[in-house]
């Protein structure tokens, strides 16, 4: 999660919402990381999770990321939760819930929908204070102005 937080800080420096993601391989090594790059790439799908999952799949040489863990600083949205399910990750570790757009149990629960053929394990609240502080620091001045 600390590496995902560093990636989130990179997103913030680039002018994007500070969300970072890391994909860990079956042995716990880092396969890939990503951070929000919607502004830099002018791409609505350039979320940290999607970029990290794409990079991990390229590195692995397969879209199937079974045995892998997606670590992310903010609860994934529906697109990112769906991508994690489709990539077949074994688990999602997240720092803070997103009550406005979260799809891993807050607003929706895409990853545990019994109608789908894959349901990753979910671990919540890892380094939540640090991730929340980063997000608050980003949004506070924008809400005041």
């Amino acid at each position: 999660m600390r590496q995902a937080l560093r990636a989130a800080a990179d997103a913030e420096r680039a002018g994007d919402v500070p969300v970072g993601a890391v994909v860990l391989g079956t042995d716990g090594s880092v396969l890939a990381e990503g951070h929000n790059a919607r502004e830099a790439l002018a791409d609505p799908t350039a979320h940290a999770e999607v970029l990290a999952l794409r990079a991990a799949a390229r590195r692995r040489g397969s879209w199937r990321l079974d045995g892998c863990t997606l670590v992310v600083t903010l609860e994934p949205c529906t697109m990112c939760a769906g991508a994690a399910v489709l990539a077949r990750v074994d688990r999602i570790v997240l720092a803070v819930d997103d009550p406005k757009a979260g799809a891993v149990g807050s607003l929706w629960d895409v990853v545990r929908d019994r109608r789908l053929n894959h349901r990753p394990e979910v671990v919540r609240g890892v380094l939540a204070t640090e991730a929340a502080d980063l997000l608050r620091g980003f949004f506070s001045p924008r809400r005041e102005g």
Side-chain angles (χ1 to χ4, degrees):
M1 185 61 75
R2 291 203 190 284
Q3 186 163 343
L5 285 165
R6 287 191 293 276
D10 291 343
E12 182 174 29
R13 282 190 288 280
D16 216 320
V17 177
V19 178
V22 174
V23 177
L24 303 175
T26 55
D27 63 355
S29 65
V30 174
L31 284 177
E33 76 172 52
H35 61 73
N36 274 3
R38 294 176 307 164
E39 299 297 334
L41 299 177
D43 179 353
T45 68
H47 288 206
E49 303 93 323
V50 169
L51 297 175
L53 290 168
R54 286 177 183 163
R58 277 192 307 273
R59 181 156 181 210
R60 226 184 193 200
S62 173
W63 62 268
R64 292 178 186 269
L65 298 176
D66 51 301
C68 293
T69 299
L70 174 64
V71 179
V72 62
T73 59
L74 179 66
E75 179 181 2
C77 68
T78 53
M79 175 182 68
C80 296
V85 169
L86 292 173
R88 310 292 196 271
V89 299
D90 278 11
R91 85 195 41 75
I92 299 171
V93 176
L94 64 97
V96 293
D97 291 344
D98 184 353
K100 292 183 179 179
V104 183
S106 290
L107 188 57
W108 295 285
D109 202 352
V110 170
V111 300
R112 288 179 282 211
D113 190 321
R114 295 209 178 274
R115 295 169 292 184
L116 299 175
N117 65 340
H118 181 75
R119 289 179 294 282
E121 171 191 3
V122 176
V123 178
R124 323 180 87 80
V126 177
L127 297 180
T129 301
E130 291 89 333
D133 288 347
L134 196 57
L135 287 162
R136 254 191 305 280
F138 179 81
F139 284 113
S140 287
R142 287 162 177 78
R143 289 186 178 127
E144 294 168 4

